[in-house]
Structures are given as structure tokens and as C-alpha cells.
């Protein structure tokens, strides 16, 4: 009996350790990123890193200004969000309020399938189908542009936006719908004036999580945006995002070099951004529940 | 005479609903096009030789056997690391944790882990497993990195599965004199297994398709032989697709589409399996 007790103590100890391990992992990730990232600032002032407009990591002397990369991420993200948020919310409305029966199931499965396709496969399709199309349409020298990235990323953010918006719409009490319709509103008026405002914070959360997905996306964006680390003038120019920079350059750096530390410093920026975005999304989700 | 307001509202509604329908098509049609395109153009490349032989002529010909083996090994190892830890963490959250600040912190951490960009996991794996632990660029480093990445998926799905087990199961077991752990082990966990399996497969299928976290932790451009130990590098499907579609010029399109198709089939079949387990379990469920 006593031995049984002990065994159980040990098992419960392990369960407890695994339970709180997530906190430890988040702290470890932060610690390792910061440990390697901060090393950069012994030689490069933090202002030059954040606000420098030149990213020439292998020239002599090297320049580690991430402004072009930040703006690259920003342009692609803004483009993708502008495309995916309205379309995503509209299709969530359609799927949850208008479609019925097999059509609804088919549309739901379709959006879920989109989340399943690996990002490298979408990047591949971006290179083989979207980029040539954009090149032809706008008569460009290359189809690998910020706009191409925005298209592909809009597609990748869609499942997140649609499914969370659907959840938010489903959480609006039936009575709201019935009351609006009973007052003589059309179904569209009911959706526009009642449903969307009632589901507001859930939709905001969906948008935030969509943004988080877009900012963090790496492979597809690296394959389709052309990877030019210059401050972009229009959406039809090649850009390079922060994620793509890490993925493309880490393989060539010397471990422990300035360049290596600089890529970790970009990682810190990305981690901080995703942290803020997730916190905001979580806040919106909880506000809705309360 | 002015148009009656209700007529205008109806016309407005017709326009708006049409737009909603069009928006939905904008989401669904690309899915069909992407999957259809890869299946149609990849099917020609698919053959027994393609999946069972080594690449040749600088990956311009031959098969993708080592990339398939590497992916399967990596995914198997990832499951081995992530599953026990994820399930135990879920047991803690659903069976032990009271709603207090520590639990809230754990949940916040899980939400955050789920949102960390995949390439940042790659950096973390490089810093911790490859460099600090000195595992080198290896299957072990890659699997540990991916395991941490899919942990939130497994924890969330497993917790949901555990919570869906009715409380009366626990009460009966406890009233018969079973201890807390015995109750979890024999009365709760068996009922939650299908849900846990579904969540795990979904998480693992995500790991199978990810490229960014394995770039600097395990992936090899090209290897003459299969990995022989945990400390060897490996070729993996997603990275292979990336390499042959952007890094090497003049690769025949069939090679690319064939590789994309194999990867897509792998991921889709895993998801299909998860859906089958879920529906069969729902039908069989007795409570």
C-alpha cells in the first residue's frame, strides 16, 4: 500500500511538471532568443538595428538595419489582411447564416482543407501559378512581389479568420436574430446591424490571429516575395520579410558571428510581436465570454 | 413614386447575399485549384520507382525515397516526444489544476506557444538543441523542436477529450475506493483516447508539413545515404520540395509536382485518418 502511494506521488509529480512546463518552454524560448540576440548590441547600437535602413549583413563593414525587413513584413501583412479579413468575414457569414445542409459541410471542409496544405506547397503553387499571373497582368520583370506574397498569405490566413469568426457568430444568442427579424429587418439588415456588432470582439480576435499567422509565415513568403532587402516603394516590387531573412540567411552564417546574433535579434522582434498579437487576441476572446 | 423602403431593403439584401456567396467562392475555389493542380500534374510522376529510389543527377531525376524515410522518422520521433508530455500536461489541466493564477499562466503560455512563428521555433531549436545541448544538426534536434511546436495542439485537444468524459465516471471510480491516479488511468483516460489520438494526428500532420523549424535543426540539402542514428541529418519532404522548386534550376516539373503530391497525400491522409477516428468514436459513444 505504501509503495503504491509512493508510485502515485511520483506519477503526480510528473503530471504536475508537464502541466507547468509550458510556462518553462515560453521562458526558455525567450531566454535563448534574447541571449543570442542581445549579443549583437555589444557591437551594433540598438537604434541602428531598429531604425537603420540598410540590411547588408555580409558587406564590409556590415550593416544591420532591419527597417527594410520590418517594412517588408508590414507591406505583405497589410496587403494580406486587406484581402483576407473582409473576404474571410463575408464567407464566415455565408457559411454560418446562409448555407445549409451538404453545401455548408462542403464549404466548411473546403476552408479546413486550406489549413492542412503545408506552407511550402502553397509557396510552390505561388511560384508556379500566382507569380507568372501577376507578372503578366502588371507587365513586370518579375512576378515575385509583395503583392504575390499578400495573395498567398491571404489564403493562408483565411482558415483562421473564417473559423474564429464562425465561432463568434455562433455565440450570438438566437434571440438577437429572432428579435431583429420580428421587427421586420431583412436577413441582411439583421446580419449587418445585429450579428456583426454583437460578434465584434470575436471578429477582432479572428483578425488579430490572422495577422499573427501572416507575420509569422515563413516558407511561402520566402518563395514568392523575391527577397530583395530594400525598402519597398510599391506592392509590385520584391520585398523581404523578417521571417524570410532568418530562414534564408541562417544557413550561411558563422555560428557566433555578428550576422548570427543579428538574425536572433530579428527573432526577438518577431517573438515580441507575436506575443503582443496573441495577448490582444486572447483579451478580445475573453471579453466576449464575459 | 419613390420605391418603397422595404423593396429597397430587399434589393440591398440580394446584392449583399450575392457578394457573401462570391466571397465564399474566393476562399473555396483556390483550395480546389491548388489541390486539383497538384494531383493532376503530380499523378504522372508518381510511380513505385519515384517513392522507392534515391535521387540522381543532382536531384533532377530519380526518386525521393530518402526524403520520405526522413519525414517518417522525424514525424515518428516527434510523436514520441510530444505525445506523453502533451497528454500529461492535459491531465494536469483537466484533472488536477484548480482555476488559479498558476493555471491561468499555464493557459496563457499555451496560447502564446501556439502563436510563436515557426521560424522562431527553428531559431530556438538551433540555440538550445543544436548548439547548447550539442546534439548538432540531427534528427534528435529536429524532432525535439517540432515536438515543442505541436505541444499546444496536443494539449488543447487532449484536454478537451478528457473534459468530455462525464464526471460520473470519476465519481463511481472514486467511490469504489480507487485513488485519484487509478481513476484517471482506468476510468477517464481510456474514454479520452480517441479524442487524444485525433488531436495528436492533427498536430503531427502539421509537423510533417512544416519547413521553417527544421531548416537549421535537421534538414539536409542532399545526402548519399539514409540517416543511421538519432544524431544524423536527414532529408525531409517539405525541405526537399523547397530545394527543388527554388534552389536548383532546370528541374523537370514532374519532379516538383510529384514531390508536392507525395507531401500533400501524406498530410491529407493523416487528416483523413483523424476525421475517421473522430466520427467512428462519436457514433460508438455510449454516454
Amino acid at each position: 500500500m505504501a509503495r503504491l502511494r509512493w508510485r502515485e506521488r511520483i506519477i503526480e509529480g510528473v503530471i504536475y511538471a508537464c502541466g507547468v512546463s509550458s510556462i518553462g518552454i515560453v521562458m526558455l524560448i525567450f531566454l535563448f532568443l534574447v541571449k543570442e540576440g542581445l549579443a549583437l548590441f555589444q557591437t551594433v547600437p540598438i537604434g541602428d538595428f531598429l531604425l537603420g535602413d540598410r540590411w547588408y549583413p555580409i558587406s564590409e563593414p556590415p550593416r544591420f538595419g532591419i527597417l527594410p525587413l520590418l517594412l517588408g513584413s508590414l507591406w505583405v501583412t497589410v496587403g494580406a489582411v486587406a484581402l483576407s479579413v473582409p473576404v474571410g468575414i463575408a464567407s464566415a457569414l455565408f457559411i454560418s447564416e446562409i448555407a445549409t445542409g451538404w453545401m455548408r459541410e462542403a464549404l466548411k471542409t473546403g476552408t479546413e482543407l486550406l489549413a492542412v496544405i503545408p506552407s511550402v506547397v502553397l509557396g510552390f503553387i505561388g511560384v508556379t501559378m500566382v507569380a507568372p499571373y501577376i507578372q503578366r497582368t502588371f507587365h513586370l520583370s518579375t512576378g515575385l512581389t509583395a503583392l504575390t506574397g499578400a495573395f498567398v498569405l491571404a489564403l493562408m490566413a483565411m482558415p483562421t479568420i473564417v473559423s474564429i469568426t464562425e465561432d463568434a457568430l455562433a455565440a450570438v444568442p438566437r434571440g438577437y436574430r429572432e428579435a431583429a427579424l420580428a421587427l421586420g429587418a431583412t436577413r441582411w439588415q439583421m446580419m449587418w446591424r445585429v450579428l456583426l456588432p454583437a460578434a465584434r470582439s470575436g471578429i477582432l480576435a479572428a483578425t488579430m490571429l490572422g495577422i499573427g499567422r501572416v507575420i509569422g509565415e515563413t516558407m511561402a513568403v520566402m518563395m514568392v516575395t523575391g527577397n530583395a532587402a530594400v525598402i519597398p516603394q510599391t506592392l509590385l516590387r520584391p520585398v523581404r520579410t523578417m521571417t524570410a531573412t532568418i530562414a534564408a540567411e541562417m544557413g550561411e552564417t558563422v555560428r557566433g558571428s555578428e550576422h548570427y546574433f543579428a538574425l536572433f535579434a530579428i527573432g526577438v522582434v518577431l517573438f515580441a510581436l507575436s506575443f503582443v498579437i496573441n495577448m490582444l487576441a486572447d483579451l478580445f476572446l475573453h471579453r466576449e465570454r464575459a | 413614386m419613390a420605391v418603397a423602403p422595404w423593396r429597397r431593403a430587399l434589393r440591398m439584401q440580394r446584392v449583399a447575399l450575392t457578394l457573401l456567396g462570391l466571397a465564399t467562392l474566393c476562399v473555396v475555389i483556390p483550395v480546389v485549384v491548388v489541390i486539383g493542380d497538384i494531383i493532376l500534374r503530380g499523378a504522372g510522376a508518381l510511380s513505385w520507382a519515384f517513392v522507392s529510389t534515391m535521387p540522381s543527377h543532382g536531384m533532377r531525376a530519380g526518386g525521393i525515397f530518402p526524403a520520405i524515410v526522413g519525414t517518417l522518422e522525424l514525424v515518428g520521433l516527434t510523436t514520441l516526444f510530444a505525445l506523453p508530455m502533451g497528454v500529461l500536461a492535459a491531465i494536469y489541466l483537466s484533472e488536477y489544476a484548480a482555476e488559479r493564477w498558476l493555471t491561468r499562466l499555464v493557459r496563457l503560455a499555451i496560447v502564446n506557444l501556439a502563436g510563436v512563428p515557426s521560424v522562431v521555433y527553428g531559431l530556438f531549436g538551433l540555440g538550445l538543441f543544436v548548439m547548447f545541448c550539442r546534439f548538432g544538426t540531427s534528427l534528435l534536434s529536429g524532432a525535439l523542436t517540432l515536438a515543442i511546436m505541436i505541444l499546444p495542439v496536443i494539449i488543447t485537444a487532449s484536454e478537451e477529450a478528457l473534459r468530455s468524459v462525464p464526471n460520473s465516471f470519476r465519481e463511481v471510480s472514486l467511490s469504489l475506493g480507487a485513488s485519484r491516479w487509478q481513476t484517471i488511468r482506468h476510468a477517464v483516460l481510456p474514454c479520452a483516447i480517441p479524442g487524444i489520438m485525433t488531436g495528436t494526428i492533427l498536430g503531427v500532420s502539421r509537423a510533417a508539413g512544416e519547413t521553417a523549424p527544421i531548416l537549421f535543426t535537421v534538414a539536409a540539402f542532399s545526402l548519399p545515404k539514409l540517416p543511421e542514428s538519432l544524431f544524423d541529418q536527414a532529408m525531409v519532404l517539405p525541405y526537399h520540395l523547397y530545394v527543388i522548386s527554388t534552389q536548383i534550376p532546370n528541374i523537370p516539373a514532374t519532379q516538383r509536382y510529384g514531390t508536392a503530391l507525395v507531401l500533400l497525400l501524406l498530410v491529407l491522409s493523416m487528416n483523413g485518418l483523424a476525421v475517421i477516428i473522430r466520427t467512428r468514436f462519436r457514433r460508438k459513444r455510449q454516454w
Side-chain angles (χ1 to χ4, degrees):
Chain A
M1 198 62 200
R3 228 177 64 207
L4 212 67
R5 192 58 53 79
W6 267 111
R7 238 187 64 188
E8 236 166 69
R9 283 261 169 83
I10 293 170
I11 290 169
E12 292 187 339
V14 173
I15 289 177
Y16 188 81
C18 286
V20 296
S21 67
S22 304
I23 303 176
I25 291 174
V26 172
M27 277 164 39
L28 260 184
I29 294 179
F30 185 67
L31 197 81
F32 266 88
L33 291 179
V34 165
K35 178 175 85 86
E36 306 281 47
L38 282 188
L40 177 74
F41 302 125
Q42 288 170 357
T43 50
V44 178
I46 191 160
D48 288 4
F49 173 72
L50 285 176
L51 299 173
D53 59 357
R54 287 192 174 80
W55 177 262
Y56 298 148
I58 43 177
S59 69
E60 196 56 52
R63 302 286 287 272
F64 296 109
I66 63 163
L67 204 58
L69 316 176
L70 263 173
L71 288 175
S73 286
L74 186 73
W75 278 69
V76 175
T77 306
V78 168
V81 169
L83 287 168
S84 64
V85 167
V87 175
I89 293 173
S91 39
L93 267 178
F94 188 87
I95 292 172
S96 70
E97 302 296 321
I98 299 169
T100 49
W102 65 268
M103 188 167 143
R104 183 176 179 172
E105 288 309 309
L107 292 175
K108 267 185 116 112
T109 315
T111 15
E112 277 165 26
L113 265 181
L114 197 49
V116 170
I117 303 173
S119 77
V120 69
V121 172
L122 278 174
F124 171 66
I125 290 292
V127 172
T128 54
M129 284 172 78
V130 186
Y133 178 76
I134 289 198
Q135 186 179 3
R136 262 181 284 127
T137 314
F138 297 99
H139 310 290
L140 303 169
S141 54
T142 170
L144 303 176
T145 63
L147 185 66
T148 322
F151 267 119
V152 174
L153 284 180
L155 216 50
M156 301 189 75
M158 215 60 96
T160 312
I161 295 177
V162 173
S163 74
I164 294 174
T165 306
E166 266 185 60
D167 289 348
L169 291 172
V172 176
R174 251 185 99 84
Y176 284 32
R177 294 179 177 81
E178 288 163 356
L181 294 175
L183 287 172
T186 63
R187 272 165 82 198
W188 167 245
Q189 284 171 333
M190 178 270 286
M191 287 182 217
W192 183 250
R193 301 267 180 81
V194 178
L195 272 188
L196 286 182
R200 197 175 44 219
S201 39
I203 294 174
L204 269 172
T207 308
M208 292 316 289
L209 289 174
I211 294 174
R213 183 99 171 76
V214 171
I215 288 189
E217 173 41 46
T218 311
M219 293 315 288
V221 97
M222 174 157 77
M223 291 163 85
V224 303
T225 53
N227 286 330
V230 289
I231 293 180
Q233 306 295 327
T234 76
L235 271 179
L236 295 173
R237 294 280 180 78
V239 293
R240 164 174 265 191
T241 64
M242 292 186 283
T243 48
T245 306
I246 299 176
E249 293 177 7
M250 187 49 96
E252 294 150 21
T253 60
V254 179
R255 307 282 149 93
S257 64
E258 258 186 344
H259 189 190
Y260 174 87
F261 294 138
L263 294 180
F264 269 91
I266 298 178
V268 176
V269 174
L270 274 173
F271 183 81
L273 274 176
S274 74
F275 188 86
V276 170
I277 289 168
N278 281 298
M279 287 293 112
L280 283 176
D282 203 55
L283 204 73
F284 289 132
L285 279 179
H286 280 286
R287 196 210 290 168
E288 187 180 31
R289 241 172 262 151
Chain B
M1 203 186 95
V3 188
W6 61 267
R7 195 166 280 182
R8 222 174 51 211
L10 279 182
R11 197 179 306 149
M12 179 82 177
Q13 153 152 301
R14 207 170 313 138
V15 173
L17 297 195
T18 313
L19 284 178
L20 293 189
L22 285 178
T24 316
L25 287 181
C26 287
V27 180
V28 179
I29 286 178
V31 186
V32 178
V33 170
V34 167
I35 296 180
D37 184 55
I38 288 175
I39 289 178
L40 287 180
R41 297 211 216 178
L46 224 53
S47 66
W48 178 244
F50 186 66
V51 295
S52 67
T53 57
M54 305 292 279
S56 54
H57 300 90
M59 301 197 264
R60 289 185 180 83
I64 53 168
F65 181 62
I68 295 177
V69 172
T71 293
L72 293 180
E73 284 179 344
L74 187 64
V75 160
L77 273 173
T78 303
T79 317
L80 207 65
F81 294 135
L83 183 59
M85 199 165 160
V87 171
L88 288 175
I91 291 177
Y92 169 77
L93 282 175
S94 103
E95 309 295 320
Y96 286 92
E99 286 297 330
R100 57 195 172 107
W101 65 270
L102 184 65
T103 319
R104 277 228 296 284
L105 211 59
V106 170
R107 288 187 196 285
L108 226 54
I110 293 173
V111 165
N112 260 295
L113 278 181
V116 171
S118 55
V119 72
V120 172
Y121 279 111
L123 283 181
F124 171 62
L126 173 66
L128 177 61
F129 302 124
V130 177
M131 307 291 285
F132 187 77
C133 300
R134 295 177 194 282
F135 295 154
T137 310
S138 62
L139 276 174
L140 183 62
S141 302
L144 286 168
T145 309
L146 286 176
I148 288 181
M149 186 188 81
I150 65 170
L151 210 50
V153 182
I154 297 185
I155 295 177
T156 314
S158 305
E159 192 195 346
E160 202 180 307
L162 288 165
R163 281 191 189 274
S164 76
V165 177
N167 247 332
S168 53
F169 283 36
R170 298 182 181 82
E171 284 155 10
V172 168
S173 170
L174 289 171
S175 72
L176 290 173
S179 69
R180 204 168 183 185
W181 167 245
Q182 285 168 330
T183 300
I184 295 168
R185 169 74 191 75
H186 298 285
V188 181
L189 205 51
C191 302
I193 280 178
I196 293 175
M197 275 173 69
T198 307
T200 306
I201 297 173
L202 290 180
V204 168
S205 87
R206 186 171 158 222
E210 270 292 357
T211 319
I214 56 172
L215 277 176
F216 348 111
T217 53
V218 51
F221 198 79
S222 163
L223 288 174
K225 56 184 176 55
L226 297 177
E228 279 157 4
S229 83
L230 281 180
F231 295 98
D232 281 351
Q233 282 185 283
M235 288 176 75
V236 275
L237 275 174
Y239 183 60
H240 187 67
L241 177 60
Y242 167 69
V243 165
I244 62 174
S245 57
T246 60
Q247 304 299 97
I248 309 177
N250 305 324
I251 294 228
T254 50
Q255 288 283 330
R256 297 176 176 167
Y257 276 99
T259 309
L261 179 58
V262 172
L263 177 59
L264 195 63
L265 286 180
L266 177 78
V267 176
L268 286 182
S269 56
M270 287 171 100
N271 279 271
L273 185 68
V275 171
I276 290 172
I277 292 176
R278 188 165 53 193
T279 44
R280 285 192 60 175
F281 168 67
R282 281 212 184 123
R283 211 174 301 144
K284 264 172 58 184
R285 186 153 72 174
Q286 310 259 315
W287 61 87

